[in-house]
């Protein structure tokens, strides 16, 4: 059986900082201990990782008691990993840490997206404070692409000058058959979308990234005297689906 040789690269050399080594060792020891209790790994690697855990504890203790200078204690640990960690316990720790960090970053990114999407609702609700009710609808639009929000009011778009109506908005509306008693250009979503189109300087319909657009509308409930969420009407429902936008 061929003799196993140790790889020339020492992962500890890059992973262990040159300052605040005690803090790093304490954190690494706690992390590794937690992961060893929950992870499913082969016995050889597990044994190697457990030995690394012990060495981290020894490193931390040496620095707490100041039996060795920081640089010397660090060098001793790094050398130990190079000379003794044949089954890759330290490498496993680094890989597990990278996985945990990547998952945490993914969750944070997803939560950030959800917080921004919620701004469509927030902007619509904020806009209701300046409206007089009586059937008026306000809409908020959050665009993940530009990280900007827009608001619109029902009845606003039809009264715009033709030069203020974006050609792409007109193109979108031209493809919508009237499904409500009001015209297809009357809704608050249309007003908000028109503002978005100007902001992104859209030239053609393909410039619209519908998957990044989230709408929320609020309408005045005259009987209850409150604003309340409203689904897309029969007109808007068609063009929102056409461009792939969603509602929150």
């Amino acid at each position: 059986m061929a003799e196993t040789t140790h790889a020339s690269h020492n992962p500890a050399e890059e992973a262990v900082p040159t300052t605040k080594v005690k803090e790093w060792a304490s954190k690494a020891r706690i992390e590794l201990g937690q992961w060893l209790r929950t992870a499913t790994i082969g016995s050889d690697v597990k044994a190697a990782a457990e030995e690394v855990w012990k060495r981290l504890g020894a490193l931390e203790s040496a620095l707490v008691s100041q039996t060795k200078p920081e640089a010397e204690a660090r060098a001793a640990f790094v050398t130990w990993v190079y000379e003794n960690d044949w089954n890759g316990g330290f490498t496993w720790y680094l890989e597990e840490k990278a996985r945990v960090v990547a998952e945490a970053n993914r969750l944070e990114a997803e939560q950030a997206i959800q917080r921004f999407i919620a701004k469509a609702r927030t902007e619509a609700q904020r806009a209701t404070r300046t409206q007089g009710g009586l059937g008026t609808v306000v809409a908020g639009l959050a665009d993940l692409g530009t990280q900007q929000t827009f608001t619109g009011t029902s009845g606003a778009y039809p009264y715009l000058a033709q030069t203020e109506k974006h050609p792409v908005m007109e193109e979108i509306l031209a493809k919508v058959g009237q499904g409500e008693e009001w015209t297809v250009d009357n809704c608050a979503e249309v007003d908000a979308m028109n503002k978005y189109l100007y902001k992104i300087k859209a030239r053609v319909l393909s410039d619209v990234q519908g998957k990044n657009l989230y709408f929320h509308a609020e309408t005045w409930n005259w009987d209850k005297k409150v604003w309340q969420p409203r689904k897309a009407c029969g007109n808007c429902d068609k063009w929102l689906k056409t461009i792939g936008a969603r509602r929150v």
Side-chain angles (χ1 to χ4, degrees):
M1 181 176 178
E3 182 180 353
T4 303
T5 57
H6 199 287
S8 59
H9 173 67
N10 184 2
E13 191 63 62
E14 297 176 357
V16 183
T18 56
T19 60
K20 297 185 178 181
V21 178
K22 176 173 66 68
E23 290 80 357
W24 174 86
S26 176
K27 182 178 180 181
R29 179 181 58 79
I30 293 171
E31 288 176 335
L32 182 53
Q34 291 174 337
W35 298 335
L36 280 170
R37 288 194 294 271
T38 58
T40 302
I41 54 176
S43 58
D44 289 346
V45 176
K46 184 174 182 179
E50 288 172 342
E51 188 61 32
V52 171
W53 179 80
K54 294 176 184 177
R55 291 287 168 170
L56 287 168
L59 172 60
E60 184 183 0
S61 296
L63 292 170
V64 169
S65 62
Q66 298 183 344
T67 55
K68 288 183 180 181
E70 183 177 57
E72 184 181 336
R74 177 190 183 278
F77 177 80
V78 169
T79 300
W80 179 88
V81 171
Y82 181 74
E83 293 179 346
N84 298 279
D85 192 29
W86 302 97
N87 289 316
F90 190 75
T91 297
W92 180 81
Y93 162 69
L94 294 180
E95 291 174 346
E96 189 68 5
K97 184 176 182 64
R99 185 192 67 77
V100 170
V101 169
E103 177 62 12
N105 289 341
R106 185 194 68 79
L107 288 174
E108 173 54 32
E110 178 61 28
Q111 289 167 359
I113 289 173
Q114 293 304 317
R115 286 194 295 270
F116 182 75
I117 288 173
K119 283 190 175 182
R121 183 183 301 108
T122 301
E123 292 301 310
Q125 292 170 342
R126 182 179 291 125
T128 63
R129 298 169 193 166
T130 61
Q131 304 300 317
L134 299 178
T136 298
V137 176
V138 293
L141 166 59
D143 172 30
L144 287 177
T146 64
Q147 290 287 294
Q148 294 183 84
T149 57
F150 308 88
T151 56
T153 306
S154 60
Y157 186 85
Y159 291 97
L160 293 177
Q162 193 59 39
T163 55
E164 296 177 315
K165 295 180 179 180
H166 198 285
V168 174
M169 190 72 250
E170 291 288 275
E171 178 186 349
I172 292 172
L173 294 175
K175 299 176 182 178
V176 177
Q178 186 170 341
E180 302 285 357
E181 59 184 272
W182 50 87
T183 58
V184 296
D185 62 353
N186 191 66
C187 293
E189 290 90 338
V190 175
D191 187 30
M193 183 72 179
N194 191 58
K195 294 172 183 174
Y196 155 81
L197 291 169
Y198 276 112
K199 189 65 179 181
I200 68 167
K201 298 181 173 145
R203 295 173 297 172
V204 292
L205 184 55
S206 59
D207 290 333
V208 176
Q209 301 298 310
K211 65 182 180 182
N212 290 331
L213 303 182
Y214 291 82
F215 287 83
H216 178 84
E218 297 270 331
T219 189
W220 178 253
N221 185 317
W222 181 247
D223 293 330
K224 297 181 180 180
K225 304 293 190 298
V226 294
W227 288 93
Q228 61 187 32
R230 192 210 69 176
K231 297 179 180 178
C233 74
N235 295 334
C236 289
D237 187 54
K238 294 177 183 178
W239 66 264
L240 288 173
K241 288 180 179 177
T242 297
I243 65 173
R246 284 163 279 191
R247 296 182 68 83
V248 292

